[in-house]
Amino acid sequence: MEAMDRFEIDDTLSDFQERMSKVALFDPLFELQRKKQSDENGQPIEMMELGLLTLLFFFEHKLMRNTKVGVKDLAQYLMRVSEGLLKVDISQWEYLARDIIQVFRPASGKKREFSFFNWESGERQTIYTSILRANAFDSKSNTQFYALDEDGLELVFATKEFYSEFQLSIHQLVLRKQLEKGEFQGALRQINEMRVDVESLQERMVKLEHEIKRSIVSEETLKRYSRLLEDIYARLQRENEEFDELRQFVKETLTRLYADTNLEKQERAYELILRISNQLERVHAEHSGLLQQCMNLKNHALYSAKESLYYTGLNSFNFEQDVAGLVFGLPLPLESMKGVIAPFMKLGRMRSWSLLTLFAEQNMIGGMGEQTPREDSFLEAADEESDLQFALRRGAFFMEIMNLLIQELHEKTEIELQQFIARMGEYGRGHWLDRRSFYDFWLILHQRSPVRVLSMEQKQDNNTGLEDVFGLLGHRVLVVCECSGIVETGTRYQIQNMKLKWGDEQGEL
Amino acid sequence: MNYSYKNETVMQAFRLYSQLALNGSVDKERLQDYIADDEVRGLVDQFAAEVDCAVIVTSDELFLIPLVRLSPFHMSNDYMKKTYLRSSAVNADLYLMYMAIIVFIGAFYDSYQSLEPTRNFIPLDEWSVLMQERIELLKEFEEEQLKSYEVEFSYHWSAVIEKWDTMDDIKETVKRQTGNTISRLSFLDTVKRFLLEQQLAEEVGAGDLALTEKTKMIVQRYFMELEYNRGILNFLYNLDERKKAEGEDEGHAVDR
């Protein structure tokens, strides 16, 4: 063999770290393989395969947008998959599931380390990977929910012949093929996978943004990030064009199906393609958001670079050794700790009380547990209090009406105001009709339709007593719209008839 | 040199500064005032330096960060005790809390290989183990040696060590390891609540704590900045009274 020249040798070494980081992805699976477990019959359990199943399980849930998946769900899934093959009871499955999850996400909180010798730079390096992450947790049942992290997603894709870098484009290609063949069901799934891709891209951009914020400290890092951003931008652009074409294609398919006269056969297909086009629009919209985000990142990077003129970063720093080691190792006087902690704290502030506060707006709440007898109260204050009491009384009344309404809507899904008023008589609530507030209630509902529970900040800036009333709705949404006729109540009031029904929460599809 | 600033410039700088002093940070909109006008920037930096703080810019926020040093402008021990610890707390409690925070941050940044944190989160019991390790190391100093420092330089390490040692890992008689029961975990829980309130940590699972972006920013932009870092080491070495007492040249101590 002829001797390779220097360039060729360098070529083989380039991007060594990147390649190793791909190898590192598989490390946890092989760690699982080394674990020896057996079922009740003494048959060995193949942990590595279960590890991959676990990843696929979490991937599937990511596709379905199910964020609440914990150890128990995984155990159940593994049990169902292995039915008839392994004899393991559910409690042991839970134990195994916990074991597997801990390999992917070490319980100590340390990231998974993978160290190797980098032949390109000629030094040892360590790569940190994070396969699973905590997604949320439920403090009531003390359950931890997990989701695939970036590297986990990469690992799932890595087991499918292509890397996530080209994932989206490949999905787009597959989708097109499926549409051409008329496999609409499969196409829908394909779109879901695309959505996961776009979401993971979004997450990566956010991470990148934080990274840029923290670590652009020199010309060199700026160059690195700029190149990265260029690449991302080019990629997004390409994908965006592809999306446009796809959209056009779906549109054409849609018109073709619509024009087709063979109605019965095409009806289901038409419905599916409608959903596809709908979902595609959504993914596309999210994807276009990424383009914008990318531009912003570029600006950020430029700012940071400009700032870096004022700043020189260290090449390596180890808080544990350089700071903690120093303080505890010598040891230094106790005050040193206060000094070291200072940057993490806020600035101390003088808190003083000014006499002028007396003339500031006063916030007094009467009647709520604490009775404040005020004989010589100012006129304004008195007014405010009576206002407040009125609001309280009215709030309580509204609660009663809402309770009855919810009760009625449990029986029927839809009710007209006219019917409701008639039912009120049966419940012995006829006297409500004499109160002005009763009519106000409907006007408020109508004006606010669709009515749902108020968010936190809305609660803060209005204290009409309505928040509790709307709180009764829980997760439901109440839709109020007017319908024909005017309700004569037999009192001095009359009101436009309305239709009341539950709306659907998501409004999806 | 004789500087003369326009009144408007000074006021603009002061407005920025006062907002920084109030919240610790300023958002994107006001950030432009700082970046665009070098005079304003210079003034704000000077104001900050007057109260022993540094101003750090990221691409969309401006932060006011108290410097590593003992300063009357920083939060006082008394205030910290009153606000964040039990009413019966003494100084040793407070220093134990500081120690816990240093150990906490150290647990995330413990590698020369990477400038990023080496872990995603830390569970409370892991934190407690790391604390224990540190305490054990401290105990290796001969007690008499520590005591003699105490007399000479008012070090009270032994009080802090004792505080930790006399606490049980958990209090077995109570259900929840939080609040006022005296145990190591409930103590760390108190520190945790402090960290959460200061937005230095966030809870990602039952008892699992992760760093917030703010903390990462402080470590990476302040502790890892060459100049500031030198200042930090200076501060620490200067506090090493023994070296001074032994008459060692300070310059050597600074230059590690």
Side-chain angles (χ1 to χ4, degrees), chain A residues 250-267:
Chain A
V250 169
K251 219 172 170 181
E252 277 163 21
T253 321
L254 197 64
T255 3
R256 193 162 46 81
L257 276 176
Y258 187 70
D260 204 315
T261 44
N262 190 352
L263 264 178
E264 250 166 64
K265 205 179 116 207
Q266 299 293 356
E267 196 172 0

Side-chain angles (χ1 to χ4, degrees), chain A residues 105-113 124-126 128-130 132 134-137 142 144 149 209-217 299-301 303-304 306-308 310-349 351, chain B residues 22 32 35 38 41 53 57-60 64-70 73-75 77 79-80 95 98-99 101-102 105-106 109-121 123 126 134 138 141 146 155-157 160 194 198 200 204-206 208 213 215-226 229 235-237 239-240 242 256:
Chain A
R105 176 182 182 268
S108 67
K110 279 264 175 200
K111 290 182 189 169
R112 286 194 60 88
E113 280 182 13
R124 275 207 89 69
Q125 273 192 342
T126 311
Y128 298 93
T129 54
S130 157
L132 277 183
N135 206 21
F137 89 108
N142 214 355
Q144 177 80 54
D149 209 352
E209 185 181 337
H210 288 316
E211 234 177 276
I212 284 177
K213 229 187 271 178
R214 281 186 267 123
S215 47
I216 287 202
V217 290
N299 286 341
H300 276 315
Y303 270 134
S304 301
K306 202 179 143 212
E307 279 309 312
S308 73
Y310 296 85
Y311 182 97
T312 344
L314 292 180
N315 286 326
S316 72
F317 173 75
N318 180 337
F319 193 92
E320 168 75 11
Q321 293 281 319
D322 294 349
V323 176
L326 208 59
V327 173
F328 305 131
L330 288 171
L332 292 176
L334 292 173
E335 288 76 52
S336 62
M337 293 202 282
K338 183 173 187 262
V340 168
I341 293 295
F344 297 101
M345 310 279 200
K346 291 180 189 141
L347 209 55
R349 239 187 288 154
R351 284 171 202 278
Chain B
L22 202 62
Q32 279 310 321
I35 290 181
D38 276 344
R41 183 181 186 131
C53 284
V57 200
T58 67
S59 48
D60 58 7
L64 186 72
I65 294 181
L67 292 174
V68 170
R69 69 172 63 156
L70 301 173
F73 296 105
H74 299 169
M75 262 195 221
N77 282 349
Y79 179 78
M80 292 284 296
Y95 284 115
Y98 287 152
M99 186 171 170
I101 298 175
I102 294 178
I105 294 165
Y109 290 94
D110 63 349
S111 160
Y112 285 109
Q113 298 250 356
S114 157
L115 293 177
E116 296 282 323
T118 56
R119 57 167 81 225
N120 288 324
F121 65 94
E126 176 95 5
R134 276 295 176 199
L138 279 173
F141 290 99
L146 277 181
Y155 289 21
H156 293 293
W157 278 104
V160 175
F194 171 75
Q198 294 280 318
L200 294 171
V204 292
D208 295 346
E213 274 309 313
T215 318
K216 290 185 200 163
M217 199 279 305
I218 293 173
V219 174
Q220 289 194 269
R221 296 301 298 272
Y222 177 71
F223 280 87
M224 295 189 191
E225 204 265 353
L226 197 65
N229 190 274
F235 163 78
L236 290 177
Y237 277 103
L239 275 175
D240 193 1
R242 274 157 298 160
R256 262 190 116 194

Side-chain angles (χ1 to χ4, degrees), chain A residues 283-470:
Chain A
V283 177
H284 189 184
E286 276 177 37
H287 189 267
S288 331
L290 284 178
L291 272 173
Q292 171 75 24
Q293 218 177 332
C294 190
M295 284 313 279
N296 283 343
L297 271 186
K298 270 188 180 171
N299 286 341
H300 276 315
L302 279 177
Y303 270 134
S304 301
K306 202 179 143 212
E307 279 309 312
S308 73
L309 294 176
Y310 296 85
Y311 182 97
T312 344
L314 292 180
N315 286 326
S316 72
F317 173 75
N318 180 337
F319 193 92
E320 168 75 11
Q321 293 281 319
D322 294 349
V323 176
L326 208 59
V327 173
F328 305 131
L330 288 171
L332 292 176
L334 292 173
E335 288 76 52
S336 62
M337 293 202 282
K338 183 173 187 262
V340 168
I341 293 295
F344 297 101
M345 310 279 200
K346 291 180 189 141
L347 209 55
R349 239 187 288 154
M350 236 272 279
R351 284 171 202 278
S352 58
W353 184 79
S354 153
L355 204 58
L356 285 171
T357 321
L358 280 178
F359 300 106
E361 208 176 313
Q362 303 290 326
N363 222 347
M364 304 227 187
I365 296 173
M368 298 290 287
E370 188 185 33
Q371 288 290 336
T372 43
R374 281 182 297 146
E375 280 148 11
D376 321 314
S377 53
F378 299 113
L379 195 61
E380 291 86 355
D383 267 352
E384 201 177 285
E385 189 173 70
S386 77
D387 259 6
L388 203 79
Q389 286 205 330
F390 169 72
L392 279 176
R393 259 205 320 273
R394 199 180 63 161
F397 182 45
F398 282 0
M399 290 283 264
E400 278 180 19
I401 306 176
M402 189 58 115
N403 268 324
L404 189 64
L405 176 61
I406 289 175
Q407 191 189 328
E408 280 302 302
L409 281 172
H410 268 309
E411 289 166 26
K412 304 175 199 155
T413 47
E414 189 178 314
I415 190 167
E416 279 181 26
L417 185 54
Q418 190 147 30
Q419 295 163 334
F420 183 76
I421 288 175
R423 295 279 287 178
M424 266 167 46
E426 292 173 36
Y427 286 113
R429 305 272 189 231
H431 58 276
W432 283 0
L433 295 176
D434 292 319
R435 295 173 67 171
R436 165 79 205 249
S437 302
F438 178 77
Y439 304 93
D440 291 345
F441 178 75
W442 300 107
L443 295 183
I444 292 172
L445 280 195
H446 181 256
Q447 186 220 343
R448 296 213 178 197
S449 170
V451 192
R452 60 185 85 219
V453 179
L454 296 181
S455 64
M456 283 314 271
E457 63 272 18
Q458 277 172 313
K459 269 185 198 174
Q460 265 159 17
D461 57 31
N462 78 15
N463 43 6
T464 50
L466 283 172
E467 57 270 357
D468 291 329
V469 178
F470 293 157

Side-chain angles (χ1 to χ4, degrees), chain A residues 117-149:
Chain A
F117 187 81
N118 186 344
W119 288 99
E120 191 181 11
S121 63
E123 51 191 32
R124 275 207 89 69
Q125 273 192 342
T126 311
I127 299 173
Y128 298 93
T129 54
S130 157
I131 307 264
L132 277 183
R133 64 182 157 81
N135 206 21
F137 89 108
D138 182 1
S139 55
K140 267 190 214 134
S141 58
N142 214 355
T143 321
Q144 177 80 54
F145 301 120
Y146 304 94
L148 282 184
D149 209 352

Side-chain angles (χ1 to χ4, degrees), chain A residues 145-163:
Chain A
F145 301 120
Y146 304 94
L148 282 184
D149 209 352
E150 200 184 319
D151 296 320
L153 212 53
E154 182 107 352
L155 178 52
V156 171
F157 293 142
T159 57
K160 244 175 114 187
E161 281 181 52
F162 35 76
Y163 288 105

